[in-house]
Amino acid sequence: MPVFGKGRVGRAVKKNADSDPFETQLTRGERSKRKYSKRFGYGIRDSTLSEVEREFWYSLRRLIMKTHIRTKQPVVVLDWGCGTGRAITELAQIFPFVKAYGISQDSYTQWKKNDKVKFIQEDAENSLRYFRDKGVDVIFSKMALYHLWSSGLMEEYLKKLCNKLKIDGILLMENNERYNALMDKMKYAGYSTKIITTELGTKRAIMITRTR
């Protein structure tokens, strides 16, 4: 176990070179109840799995299945900055072999009736103690890690967080040009980095893989 211590369905959209490859799981009624932002979609704290995959332009579902086939073991998945836990809960419901964890500095009422995910209410630094080094297969974070950049803590913290990944484990996070120099430093620390782009070349996400 990696944790220890105390611790609309919508109308069909015609596909084009840069169309959305991820299914939309919200009904029209659900959309009308949620505040929409052109930059952040239907809310960072309550993002669906499809919204997270759309933000990254990458299928978490495919990644988790490939990891399970490769390791033949339960797949440990962490949603860093999980909010209500909607996306990580969907993953746990789809894949019974997923050991799902969500970290947030705030707690949410949705956590209380959720038995699929282990939720941890902690700040960034203290949350690290819940996971052993080389104990997590997949970490993903939609926009949450950016707050560390604005406080000047990104470089040091990202290395600590990635140290929780198993060999060949992957961290997915939003792309930002400000991270370019940091990604170069991660390569020297034993990680490979990749920018995920759309068919039209739009940079959407960063993938960090632990290589040693």
Side-chain angles (χ1 to χ4, degrees):
M1 294 289 289
V3 174
F4 65 93
K6 302 174 182 178
R8 16 176 173 220
V9 174
R11 292 175 295 175
V13 178
K14 185 178 180 181
K15 297 291 183 180
N16 55 45
D18 208 12
S19 61
D20 186 352
F22 305 109
E23 61 181 306
T24 299
Q25 297 180 340
L26 297 179
T27 65
R28 186 176 299 176
E30 285 178 316
R31 286 180 180 275
S32 67
K33 296 176 183 177
R34 301 174 69 194
K35 184 177 180 181
Y36 181 77
S37 159
K38 289 183 178 179
R39 178 65 186 89
F40 299 116
Y42 287 94
I44 298 172
R45 294 185 177 90
D46 193 38
S47 298
T48 66
L49 176 57
S50 289
E51 287 168 351
V52 173
E53 291 181 321
R54 187 178 303 113
E55 178 71 25
F56 294 155
W57 211 255
Y58 190 84
S59 174
L60 284 165
R61 283 168 272 200
R62 188 176 297 117
L63 171 61
I64 287 167
M65 180 57 72
K66 288 172 63 177
T67 301
H68 182 58
I69 292 172
R70 174 175 56 83
T71 64
K72 298 179 174 59
Q73 297 291 328
V75 181
V76 181
V77 183
L78 169 62
D79 183 351
W80 196 100
C82 64
T84 63
R86 188 167 183 170
I88 188 67
T89 299
E90 289 181 39
L91 280 174
Q93 290 171 337
I94 295 169
F95 302 111
F97 53 78
V98 163
K99 293 184 178 180
Y101 300 89
I103 288 175
S104 176
Q105 188 166 332
D106 302 312
S107 64
Y108 296 84
T109 56
Q110 291 89 334
W111 293 4
K112 296 179 180 179
K113 48 189 176 183
N114 189 329
D115 60 356
K116 298 289 186 181
V117 181
K118 170 67 176 178
F119 291 106
I120 301 166
Q121 183 187 4
E122 279 286 10
D123 59 34
E125 191 65 35
N126 286 322
S127 68
L128 294 171
R129 66 191 176 98
Y130 289 87
F131 300 89
R132 69 169 184 261
D133 293 349
K134 298 183 180 179
V136 183
D137 293 289
V138 177
I139 301 172
F140 66 94
S141 178
K142 181 189 176 188
M143 303 307 298
L145 283 169
Y146 181 76
H147 298 294
L148 295 176
W149 178 269
S150 58
S151 59
L153 301 173
M154 183 69 148
E155 180 177 345
E156 180 182 356
Y157 186 82
L158 189 60
K159 290 178 180 178
K160 291 180 181 179
L161 182 60
C162 287
N163 199 41
K164 305 301 177 181
L165 290 170
K166 298 178 182 179
I167 302 299
D168 296 323
I170 287 173
L171 181 144
L172 282 165
M173 58 187 286
E174 77 285 350
N175 179 62
N176 191 307
E177 291 185 358
R178 297 180 180 182
Y179 301 160
N180 290 347
L182 175 56
M183 293 304 105
D184 289 337
K185 292 180 181 179
M186 292 298 293
K187 294 176 183 178
Y188 290 107
Y191 301 91
S192 66
T193 62
K194 175 183 177 182
I195 302 296
I196 299 171
T197 62
T198 67
E199 290 87 344
L200 296 182
T202 305
K203 297 178 180 180
R204 296 297 289 268
I206 296 171
M207 176 187 290
I208 300 174
T209 304
R210 184 168 191 168
T211 57
R212 64 173 186 262

